[in-house]
Amino acid sequence: MSKPHLLIDTDPGVDDALAILMAHAHADVAGLSVAAGNVGLGHTVRNARTLVDLVGARTPVFAGCPSPLVRRPEEDAAFVHGSDGFGDVGFAEPQAGVEDEAAALALLRLTRERPGELTVVALAPLTNVALALRLDPTLPDRVKRLVVMGGAVTGHGNTGKVPAEFNVGFDPEAAHVVFEAFPEFDLVDWEATLRYAFDDAEFDRWLAAGDERARFFGQVFGTARAFNRTHDRSGVIAADALAMAVAIDPSIVVRSERRHVAVELDGRLTRGATVVDWAGRLKRPANANIVLEIDAGRFAAMVRRALGAQG
């Protein structure tokens, strides 16, 4: 299978880090467009640069919007990822630079230069992608695939708003813009990532067998792992890594369902929730291919290779 060509919108973030390691192990990466989300933009851009150094690539890093489109975020995820997004390990200043071009403009330029070639992998709040769409509504015509890590399709979210998932909940207006604009996208939601969490002991064996990428990930993962253990989250939850696996190899999906998915913008308790029209009552065209089951063995193999634990 030839390598897929990816353009990754990200807010690194521990699970973003694993996904980006996977991308560089399995794909051609055209660029990292960086959003605020897990932590502030200054940290997420620096973390993206750190990852580029780690993998020894020349992947360009583009800084995006430092805030959601409309409202201030109600929360970030520093309590999970550490105040710097990488477990507060204290890595040295990265050598990789950041491009002068804004992330939304880079998304437009790269898809114009490579029309129909790039899969956009959205691992962050969708602010950058929404800004690009507002500048050029024809963006979907040039994107080969859009894979979104976001949402909670039956309302079991991971934010202070009970039904909402973090990426969509951080910037619901941006998610609304993207979901309305793209006639088709793959949705890997929070609930799917819980179903495909890795066994702790098995994951530790992968880290022990891996190379410098595994050692790095073991360091940054400490804060998130401690949070999960004290908040009834079992196993190693690799949310962005699961979305990345779907982006790299769509045949990993065993079962999915096409439905119309929208975003709640106004609810007092439900702002940021993804609303799935399971029964087709709204008579709206299905826009989301909701990933429900994947080949767990192949997913694990992709992660092991990204950690250097498998050739």
Side-chain angles (χ1 to χ4, degrees):
M1 184 180 68
S2 61
K3 283 189 173 184
H5 304 286
L6 308 180
L7 179 51
I8 304 169
D9 193 66
T10 178
D11 61 336
V14 175
D15 54 337
D16 299 77
L18 183 56
I20 291 167
L21 294 179
M22 289 173 64
H24 283 90
H26 295 275
D28 163 59
V29 182
L32 302 176
S33 62
V34 184
N38 285 321
V39 288
L41 187 68
H43 289 305
T44 57
V45 169
R46 188 178 192 271
N47 293 346
R49 295 166 55 216
T50 296
L51 288 165
V52 170
D53 280 357
L54 177 65
V55 298
R58 295 184 178 180
T59 307
V61 175
F62 305 97
C65 190
S67 64
L69 291 181
V70 178
R71 301 188 192 180
R72 290 182 177 273
E74 296 183 12
E75 59 182 350
D76 63 15
F79 57 93
V80 177
H81 298 266
S83 62
D84 68 354
F86 269 2
D88 297 317
V89 174
F91 295 106
E93 180 68 19
Q95 296 299 308
V98 60
E99 304 296 317
D100 291 335
E101 188 176 24
L105 297 178
L107 287 166
L108 295 177
R109 176 180 59 81
L110 289 167
T111 57
R112 287 172 183 148
E113 292 174 355
R114 302 169 70 172
E117 182 181 342
L118 295 173
T119 293
V120 174
V121 192
L123 307 177
L126 288 160
T127 314
N128 290 335
V129 183
L131 283 171
L133 282 163
R134 285 298 190 239
L135 290 168
D136 182 359
T138 69
L139 173 64
D141 298 337
R142 301 189 302 276
V143 172
K144 181 177 182 179
R145 294 172 62 213
L146 172 65
V147 180
V148 175
M149 192 281 124
V153 298
T154 64
H156 293 76
N158 61 342
T159 71
K161 300 287 188 183
V162 175
E165 174 274 334
F166 178 80
N167 282 346
V168 174
F170 187 89
D171 193 347
E173 282 78 15
H176 167 75
V177 168
V178 174
F179 289 10
E180 288 281 302
F182 273 83
E184 182 176 354
F185 58 91
D186 292 320
L187 185 67
V188 180
D189 83 312
W190 171 249
E191 296 164 22
T193 68
L194 294 179
R195 292 194 295 274
Y196 289 97
F198 297 116
D199 177 78
D200 280 291
E202 183 177 15
F203 196 84
D204 284 338
R205 288 193 290 272
W206 302 347
L207 293 178
D211 57 19
E212 69 278 0
R213 294 168 292 177
R215 290 188 287 275
F216 170 87
F217 191 76
Q219 287 181 287
V220 301
F221 188 42
T223 300
R225 202 168 200 181
F227 176 88
N228 289 342
R229 285 171 174 165
T230 57
H231 288 78
D232 197 30
R233 293 181 180 177
S234 60
V236 175
I237 302 166
D240 291 335
L242 183 60
M244 185 59 70
V246 171
I248 291 168
D249 182 4
S251 72
I252 201 172
V253 178
V254 173
R255 185 170 70 93
S256 62
E257 293 191 18
R258 289 183 51 78
R259 294 289 187 275
H260 182 78
V261 179
V263 180
E264 174 58 54
L265 300 179
D266 301 315
R268 181 172 63 88
L269 298 177
T270 58
R271 175 172 159 78
T274 39
V275 181
V276 182
D277 186 9
W278 291 109
R281 295 172 184 170
L282 300 179
K283 309 301 182 186
R284 299 284 303 278
N287 55 350
N289 185 48
I290 302 168
V291 173
L292 297 173
E293 296 179 19
I294 57 102
D295 185 323
R298 289 168 63 190
F299 176 35
M302 294 170 77
V303 172
R304 290 197 302 271
R305 180 177 173 188
L307 295 171
Q310 175 177 295

